[in-house]
Amino acid sequence: MVATLPSKNAKKLEARLRGLVGKAIHDYTMIEAGDKVMVCLSGGKDSYTMLSLLMSLQRSAPVKFDLLAVNLDQKQPDFPEHILPEYLKSVGVPYRIVEEDTYSTVTRIIPEGKTMCGLCSRLRRGILYRVATEEGATKIALGHHRDDIVETLFLNMFHGGRIKAMPPKLRTDDGKHIVIRPLTYCPENDIARYARYREFPIIPCNLCGSQENLQRANIKQMLQQWETEFPGRTDSLFRSIQNVSPSQLADSELFDFKGLTTEKN
């Protein structure tokens, strides 16, 4: 059974998040009639929330679409294999558990003490794309939220010298898959509150023993400090990603600066 939210405030929170997901889906045409959406479930608060809200929208959406929850069991030590199958059975969503020992590959390649997240992510992505093809999924849903997107923007600016974030919707490099991020408009704090209310059986992302990406952690701390001092700043930063003026930047591939001349009478 799906957990019942314990208060009126919790129901308002659920309605707010559901509305934000619905708006993101509409604004970016994330889900269309007849889609089979592969929901990538890690066992963290974000992916649980995404699945819960998509299931809720599925029941009342004006178009019919199917959901398939997919978890990749990467064989990290002490991974609680029973938690996700038991949860997914209890909520009645079709699911598939994919077992691939990427942990052994990553630990063999990455020196001890170094972060494993980059290689782990690339391996995971490749496997999930393969599974999407096998399952005939037309969309792949990832649980990145508004704060993830803003953090990525600053990571790329500070450490990559480019203005780039995470798009709400993208086509994979091989052109075979469409990836969507239904939580694009959702603040992380609201997701965390919702996950606590729903009492999702969270699986921590520290089973492999890798250290958290220090650069992302620093960016997160910076943004949290800004948000504390200036409430609403994160939302303003996110809106800036939606309101880009190429002529006010300096990328000559996006705007024809060389050909810019005065208007002739």
Side-chain angles (χ1 to χ4, degrees):
M1 296 292 291
V2 178
T4 301
L5 294 176
S7 71
K8 185 181 294 186
N9 288 339
K11 291 179 180 179
K12 288 181 179 179
L13 174 61
E14 182 176 50
R16 167 177 155 75
L17 288 172
R18 188 176 182 273
L20 289 172
V21 170
K23 178 172 171 53
I25 290 172
H26 175 268
D27 287 352
Y28 297 100
T29 316
M30 292 185 182
I31 298 176
E32 300 167 273
D35 269 341
K36 182 175 184 179
V37 183
M38 190 177 96
V39 183
C40 299
L41 195 67
S42 67
K45 69 182 191 311
D46 305 328
S47 59
Y48 273 123
T49 296
M50 175 175 63
L51 176 62
S52 175
L53 296 173
L54 286 177
M55 290 178 67
S56 177
L57 286 167
Q58 184 187 39
R59 292 190 286 269
S60 59
V63 298
K64 185 180 185 303
F65 62 92
D66 296 321
L67 297 174
L68 173 69
V70 171
N71 169 254
L72 174 57
D73 178 356
Q74 298 176 268
K75 298 304 176 184
Q76 296 103 325
D78 301 320
F79 181 78
E81 297 179 359
H82 64 286
I83 288 181
L84 283 170
E86 289 177 0
Y87 173 79
L88 293 168
K89 287 177 184 176
S90 74
V91 299
V93 65
Y95 71 92
R96 175 176 169 182
I97 306 296
V98 181
E99 298 185 7
E100 293 278 355
D101 187 4
T102 62
Y103 175 79
S104 294
T105 301
V106 171
T107 53
R108 185 179 70 251
I109 295 173
I110 302 297
E112 186 176 353
K114 300 293 184 180
T115 182
M116 304 177 184
C117 301
L119 177 58
C120 181
S121 177
R122 290 192 295 275
L123 293 173
R124 182 170 63 246
R125 186 163 56 243
I127 294 167
L128 290 173
Y129 290 170
R130 186 202 77 212
V131 172
T133 298
E134 293 173 355
E135 295 291 344
T138 54
K139 302 287 172 57
I140 302 172
L142 303 180
H144 299 118
H145 46 67
R146 182 203 66 178
D147 298 53
D148 287 326
I149 293 171
V150 174
E151 288 168 15
T152 301
L153 172 68
F154 279 92
L155 274 171
N156 281 314
M157 285 195 296
F158 290 173
H159 303 287
R162 56 185 176 177
I163 297 178
K164 177 182 177 182
M166 293 175 172
K169 180 181 179 181
L170 66 85
R171 182 173 58 193
T172 56
D173 292 341
D174 61 8
K176 296 180 179 179
H177 304 287
I178 296 293
V179 176
I180 60 174
R181 294 183 168 98
L183 300 181
T184 285
Y185 293 156
C186 298
E188 183 175 17
N189 284 342
D190 284 352
I191 292 171
R193 289 171 54 215
Y194 181 72
R196 288 194 297 270
Y197 285 135
R198 291 298 301 268
E199 298 182 337
F200 294 133
I202 303 296
I203 300 173
C205 187
N206 59 5
L207 295 170
C208 58
S210 65
Q211 299 174 346
E212 184 179 5
N213 186 301
L214 183 58
Q215 294 172 350
R216 180 172 288 275
N218 288 337
I219 295 292
K220 181 183 286 290
Q221 184 178 23
M222 179 190 76
L223 291 172
Q224 289 174 345
Q225 182 64 32
W226 283 357
E227 188 67 27
T228 299
E229 296 177 4
F230 307 100
R233 174 160 288 188
T234 306
D235 196 50
S236 179
L237 288 166
F238 177 80
R239 289 199 306 273
S240 74
I241 301 174
Q242 298 177 293
N243 295 281
V244 178
S245 301
S247 65
Q248 305 304 303
L249 298 174
D251 190 334
S252 59
E253 294 188 5
L254 291 180
F255 187 80
D256 184 14
F257 291 101
K258 291 182 179 179
L260 195 63
T261 61
T262 60
E263 292 185 2
K264 297 179 180 179
N265 295 329

